[in-house]
Amino acid sequence: MAKRDYYEVLGISKSASADEIKKAYRKAAIQYHPDKNPGDKEAEDKFKEAAEAYDVLSNPDKKARYDQFGHEGMGGNGGFGGSAGGFSGGFTMDDIFSRFGDIFGGHFGGFGGGGTRSRVNRGSDLRVKVKLNLKEIVHGTVKKLKINKQVNCDKCNGSGANTPNGVTTCTTCNGSGYVTQVMDTFFGRTQTTQPCPTCHGEGKIVTDPCTKCHGEETVRGEEIVEIKIPAGVGEGMQLSVAGKGNAARHGGVNGNLLVLIQEEKDPNFERDGNDLIYNLKLSIPQAVLGGSIEIPTVDSKAKIKVEAGTHPGKVLRLRGKGIPDVNGYGKGDLLAIVDIFVPKNISAEEKKNMQTLSESPNFKPSSKGREPNIFDKMRKFFR
């Protein structure tokens, strides 16, 4: 089933302000909140869909990427900017509450029967840069990177305790991670829920810290991460690999690995969107006589026909030999722009032949009519 447009999900326009986006999400979240719709799978799906839309549209960088590339730019297939599950960032229900729970404004106590929920920790994101050559960009590739990051402590399995009995339930919040306060105000009695001040929202207290991580639950380590990079990416694009950032405490949601794409300069081609530009140098005889010329492509070589009397600046197009569109909408072209090679040093015999040719009427510029010059051709090409 095709994913719905994020603006449609929240019922807003593309020009909506940050405040309007937040209000629209809060309205949808309250309407489809699991506590308000117990056992309703459709409402739960819409609740997640609204959270996904808000996650993207509330972030200026993600919003700009979505406006330019649509769902493909956010990694709907597990590549560019998302997870295999199709949800940007790979959030669980608990992670949604952890990230966006403040937006509900205390309207609901939490997830599951209206009770207080335990706090879900989230690890921080990591950012790495990956350089790609032109062939990798055209075909897509898989990169394996060794990432230095916070990982779960292997001695205590991320519990932070030296022994299984080294963790006790917080007596202040009874393991919920939150405390509720009731206050009498001018407007009547109000109830607020806040993270427990004793356990800081963890619900548990480590009484016998692990000797390796000293109760921090994570340590510095390494992980080999395999990154699938789709074809058609470009300089400055960012991919997100869900759950491959820093480890979270208490088995929470790991951060994401953000992969910034950098393009290596290619010796043969310049990139213009999804098109490739090749500077085709012709000798004077080749430009005059024409013929079949072999030029490089990304994977091999191709022959291109040059008409007799070809002028500098003429564009010869090989369709479909460019870069695939990152959204899957076809491929760009290879554009060979003609340039005439004029030698600086020639032999006496060559000079004599050129002088002879210069006297021929066919080698003298015509003053009849107006032939399009190189500036006219380039202006038409880039229009």
Side-chain angles (χ1 to χ4, degrees), residues 135-190:
K135 185 170 287 190
E136 291 172 324
I137 290 171
V138 169
H139 297 293
T141 186
V142 174
K143 292 284 188 180
K144 290 185 178 181
L145 303 179
K146 182 184 290 186
I147 307 297
N148 293 312
K149 63 175 188 173
Q150 290 295 121
V151 298
N152 286 328
C153 176
D154 56 354
K155 188 176 188 302
C156 65
N157 293 321
S159 70
N162 199 37
T163 63
N165 297 326
V167 179
T168 60
T169 301
C170 176
T171 56
T172 302
C173 64
N174 295 320
S176 69
Y178 285 78
V179 292
T180 301
Q181 294 179 332
V182 178
M183 299 177 60
D184 291 322
T185 68
F186 178 78
F187 299 101
R189 178 165 293 187
T190 61

Side-chain angles (χ1 to χ4, degrees), residues 171-250:
T171 56
T172 302
C173 64
N174 295 320
S176 69
Y178 285 78
V179 292
T180 301
Q181 294 179 332
V182 178
M183 299 177 60
D184 291 322
T185 68
F186 178 78
F187 299 101
R189 178 165 293 187
T190 61
Q191 179 176 299
T192 59
T193 301
Q194 302 291 337
C196 175
T198 303
C199 65
H200 305 291
E202 302 291 348
K204 297 179 180 180
I205 297 176
V206 177
T207 56
D208 182 17
C210 171
T211 56
K212 182 173 182 179
C213 67
H214 307 290
E216 293 300 317
E217 305 167 8
T218 62
V219 295
R220 202 70 184 169
E222 292 181 344
E223 182 182 357
I224 303 297
V225 179
E226 188 173 277
I227 303 170
K228 184 178 180 180
I229 301 175
V233 296
E235 179 77 23
M237 287 185 181
Q238 183 172 278
L239 289 73
S240 178
V241 185
K244 292 302 181 179
N246 284 317
R249 301 184 66 194
H250 288 308

